[in-house]
Amino acid sequence: MTIRSLFATALCLSLLPFGTADAQDQRLATVVVYIAGADIYLDAGSDQGLSPGDTLRVYSEPDGRLLGTFMVISSTRERAVVTFAGRPFPVTRGAYLQVATSGAAQPQRDDAAAASAIADPRRTGPGPVHRSPRLSGRLSFDLGMLESTTTVGDGLDPVERRFATPSLRLRATVNDLPAGMSFNTNLRAAARMSSTDVVQPPRSLRVYQASLGKSFEGVPLQFQLGRFYNPYETFSGYWDGLLVHVGRSGLGGGFAVGFQPERGNEKFTTDVAKYGAFLDYRYASSRFSYWADLSFNEQRPRSGSTNHRFAGLSQRLRWGRVGLSQRIRFDSRDDRPGWELTQLELRTALPLGRRLSAHIGYSFYRPLYLLSTFELEPDTIGLQAYRRERGSFGLAYDMWGGTIGADITANRLDGGSISYTYGTHFSVPRSAMLGLGYFGWASYWKRDATTTLYITPGITRTFGSLETRASYSYYSYANASAKVITHTLDLSLSLPLTRRWYVLLQGRVQRGKTLNSNSLYSGFWLSF
């Protein structure tokens, strides 16, 4: 690690953002956008603080009952793939869920403990209750290993590669610091090794959050300072700076000022200054819930790119089994006149009967900010090269304690030909036959003369506290000049060793004419 990286990390730690305890434990609203067997795709990702290996508590409502837990398998900036951690529960595509990250949430002080503290005979008079700092969170060690053999063509030697990625993750909260502050951090240190030295950089330290926070009793005012993700709106991403928020429930608002962390490695930099203002609203009852955020942000690069502004509105509504969500964003740059629509997402989940439901979605994406991010001129790439449109329709039916569904999705990139994906999935978390759970999914994609086919059946079984999962996958890719077929076996075991220690083991064997690989993943987690 370079001296510059160490300095940036130290600076982040010294400015740690005021992440309030309330904000840290705030539930994130998300939608199930796709289901592939036991793998569930959410419309929230690393920009919302979801990292691979995280355990998510899943709720039906902002203040609703706990359904179970998810584990994050992988994540991009705007998407996360999760699977069940512990006992599965029914989930359908288009479902509206609330998730909260386990391990770093604020431990709640129950009424009995509070009453005991007030009645403590050692207290001789009125005054504040002095508490010692309390640490909670999760420390995990992960090791991923992969070896692959690729056969490019006849008469050529196979290409063999080996990769290993050990990593250490820490997500923690310290409450009851002096002056009533709290400290939140989320970081990952990794070493990436390969037999061909193709993975760069070989070592990395990524600080996703490092925060000091404070809220005031009797006053709906919260501060954040340092490296944080704004939990009150969904467009600005990560910050190195200051956030002020007024309001705890219902209507709230605030502003943020600071710098944009370097994209791709989260390093601290002052190259791009930014500021923003936002409004947020939350309401939830047993039957109806609504949450929304409206924000305006501006980025001001020191050199190379022009100033960039964007405004967005995000809304989610649930009324019984009816769900609606919407995201719309407009962008503007100094070198382009006016404001342009760059993102539009519409989703709805509709009940068609006691067990049958439908989901409908449409999205439009044209990331104007990419031209600013990579310092490329509009005439060089053109906005249309990034234009993506997607429409989807599907049905889901509840049966045997699980779900079965089918859907069709149409995609178009850059105004070209339309590709279609036909999919189906089923999931029965637990059956009467030997206590087995069943899942499976299949999808067929076609655009012009190119097709792909996925078929994956699998089973799950619980032995006491041991959770097991096994699946087989068939994959076929074909176009006018080539055809590739692979067969894959997956097996995973998860087990709580003690109340605080948890272990996950995953193995995969893939075989085909052109590609053969073996991979192993192991994860050990300590909750404290």
Side-chain angles (χ1 to χ4, degrees), residues 46 49-55 71-75 137-144 165-172 185-190 204-206 208 521-528:
S46 58
L50 305 186
S51 303
D54 284 349
T55 302
M71 185 191 72
V72 180
I73 301 174
S74 63
S75 64
R138 192 180 72 185
L139 178 68
S140 65
F141 174 77
D142 309 287
L143 175 61
T165 308
S167 63
L168 186 70
R169 306 171 189 268
L170 174 65
R171 184 188 290 268
T185 188
N186 180 11
L187 57 87
R188 178 178 184 261
S204 66
L205 174 62
R206 301 195 174 198
Y208 302 103
Y521 168 84
S522 60
F524 299 89
W525 307 330
L526 170 64
S527 298
F528 51 86

Side-chain angles (χ1 to χ4, degrees), residues 1-10 201-205 265 267:
M1 185 178 301
T2 65
I3 295 177
R4 182 174 179 271
S5 300
L6 290 173
F7 175 78
T9 303
R203 292 175 296 277
S204 66
L205 174 62
N265 56 22
K267 290 182 180 179

Side-chain angles (χ1 to χ4, degrees), residues 19 33-34 132 226 295 344 358-359 394 405 474 490:
V33 296
Y34 193 72
S132 299
S295 61
L344 174 63
H359 60 84
Y474 171 86
D490 284 277

